[in-house]
Amino acid sequence: VDYIVAHGIATYVGDERVVIGSYHFVFEDEKCTIPAAEQQKFDALKPAYSHLYMAASGQLVGVICISDPLRPEAAAVLNGLRALGIRNTVMMTGDSERTAAAIAKQVGVDRFFAEVLPEDKANFVQQAKAEGHTVVMIGDGINDAPALTRAETGIAIGAGADVALDAADVVLVRSDLADVPAAVRLSRAVVRNIHQNLFWAFFYNTLGIPLAAGVFVPLGLTLNPMFGAAAMSLSSFCVVSNALRLNLFKLRDPKHDHKRRKKPASANTAPAEEKATTKKEKETMKKTMKIEGMMCAHCEATVKKALEAIPEVVDAEVSHTAGTAVVTLQSPVDDAALKKAVEDKDYKVLGIE
């Protein structure tokens, strides 16, 4: 039996080659086909399930539907993270596009990527960092380990794979996603406490050391050495006492979360905003690109990401089945820039309309 990492397994039963794995592995890598008589059943597969496809001699012979229910706390955790000011929540999964879309809709993530490989996750994290984002990666599997390592903060689920636990910076021992917002609150409280201690230590010593050294003797201000020693001990006592206050910190209390501030809309600004919106809508234009080489949803995501990285591009709707990308622009952009963005990802642009 051959195990292909993040794809599936393959073996021979007599003279027949049998493969079991993901859609990408079975239908694109192995070039297997669906019998015409089974196409209707295949199209009716429920997207809520994860699917493993089994093929023999190049023909699909079965589909294994795996129920991987959404964690009940997932949606609440995302809302908690947004309340903390964390933006751009992204879900990356090796599941099919249909399954990923169904889960993403339930949980309410901002974006999702389906049929991704371990290196794709790591590359996404690396690219996000290069764009200036601070990245927190949460995962529990072997496939998540490379991305956990590259993220500024990698968070692993305690019940996950050992490789993921070793790669992460933070491990949720209780395997409860609700501990993610709690970890963010605690980290912010620790940093805030450090800043307070540094401020009081510098303020205290800036006054106390010159006084103890006799700098203010001409002004008649002196400090008995015994009081100086006591004052030094008191400084340490204050710093330690302030740090111990963290024991009273309520990890799961969202009362002090730092929410993103919104500018209040006024009667004077509303018309201007409305005019700006109308003007923006009028300025938008669309271009359709014919692209060769896209084979799967991952290819779609790659092209979409490349096009939307162009400042003038508002949105890109990519279809590997139609071989097109419909690009919405907020201002004119040269066709050569669009073509270069796609061809830099090793896809061929046949034309732009």
Side-chain angles (χ1 to χ4, degrees):
V1 178
D2 297 324
Y3 171 59
I4 298 88
V5 177
H7 285 74
I9 59 175
T11 188
Y12 281 92
V13 179
D15 295 331
E16 282 191 321
R17 179 173 172 82
V18 179
V19 296
I20 302 175
S22 66
Y23 182 94
H24 186 280
F25 173 57
V26 173
F27 295 107
E28 296 180 14
D29 293 347
E30 293 290 326
K31 308 298 182 184
C32 297
T33 58
I34 304 169
E38 305 297 333
Q39 184 66 51
Q40 188 174 358
K41 291 181 181 179
F42 182 84
D43 293 337
L45 290 173
K46 294 183 178 180
Y49 293 99
S50 297
H51 302 121
L52 285 179
Y53 304 94
M54 180 178 179
S57 299
Q59 290 281 315
L60 180 71
V61 296
V63 180
I64 303 172
C65 297
I66 303 173
S67 177
D68 188 10
L70 185 68
R71 285 175 174 263
E73 73 273 18
V77 167
L78 280 177
N79 290 332
L81 291 174
R82 291 191 181 99
L84 287 163
I86 294 177
R87 299 169 293 174
N88 300 328
T89 52
V90 180
M91 182 184 78
M92 295 183 286
T93 176
D95 283 328
S96 67
E97 181 83 9
R98 291 196 307 166
T99 302
I103 297 298
K105 185 177 181 180
Q106 289 182 52
V107 76
V109 294
D110 297 320
R111 289 189 294 164
F112 72 91
F113 297 98
E115 299 178 10
V116 296
L117 302 176
E119 56 268 28
D120 297 327
K121 295 181 181 181
N123 291 338
F124 178 86
V125 170
Q126 192 67 32
Q127 182 177 346
K129 289 172 63 177
E131 293 172 354
H133 300 290
T134 300
V135 182
V136 177
M137 171 71 188
I138 306 171
D140 64 351
I142 296 174
N143 296 342
D144 299 320
L148 288 169
T149 303
R150 293 194 182 183
E152 272 90 355
T153 303
I155 301 177
I157 308 299
D162 290 340
V163 176
L165 301 184
D166 292 338
D169 303 297
V170 178
V171 177
L172 304 181
V173 179
R174 300 193 313 159
S175 300
D176 185 357
L177 285 177
D179 288 338
V180 175
V184 175
R185 293 188 190 99
L186 179 60
S187 65
R188 290 180 176 178
V190 169
V191 172
R192 188 163 57 247
N193 194 281
I194 291 172
H195 290 166
Q196 292 169 354
N197 287 340
L198 286 174
F199 170 78
W200 287 112
F202 279 112
F203 177 77
Y204 191 89
N205 290 324
T206 299
L207 294 177
I209 291 176
L211 184 61
V215 173
F216 301 116
V217 169
L219 301 177
L221 298 175
T222 60
L223 182 65
N224 188 295
M226 294 180 62
F227 288 110
M232 196 65 197
S233 299
L234 183 61
S235 173
S236 300
F237 175 79
C238 292
V239 169
V240 172
S241 298
N242 188 46
L244 289 174
R245 288 193 308 111
L246 289 172
N247 289 324
L248 304 176
F249 182 72
K250 297 179 180 179
L251 296 177
R252 291 170 180 79
D253 185 0
K255 185 169 60 176
H256 300 295
D257 289 351
H258 298 288
K259 299 181 180 180
R260 291 157 58 190
R261 296 181 180 177
K262 295 182 180 180
K263 293 182 179 180
S266 63
N268 294 330
T269 59
E273 290 176 358
E274 185 177 350
K275 290 179 181 178
T277 303
T278 305
K279 183 178 180 182
K280 184 177 180 181
E281 289 175 353
K282 290 181 179 179
E283 289 179 351
T284 57
M285 58 180 294
K286 291 188 177 182
K287 290 187 177 183
T288 301
M289 305 176 65
K290 297 186 181 298
I291 303 172
E292 186 180 74
M294 295 190 296
M295 303 295 293
C296 61
H298 172 64
C299 299
E300 290 180 358
T302 302
V303 173
K304 179 180 177 68
K305 188 189 302 181
L307 290 171
E308 291 181 349
I310 300 173
E312 294 84 359
V313 175
V314 177
D315 182 50
E317 297 180 5
V318 186
S319 171
H320 73 276
T321 54
T324 60
V326 180
V327 184
T328 303
L329 305 171
Q330 62 180 354
S331 59
V333 62
D334 190 47
D335 289 351
L338 297 173
K339 183 177 180 181
K340 183 177 184 302
V342 174
E343 294 190 340
D344 282 349
K345 299 299 181 180
D346 298 326
Y347 301 99
K348 185 176 180 180
V349 177
L350 302 177
I352 302 178
E353 298 175 357

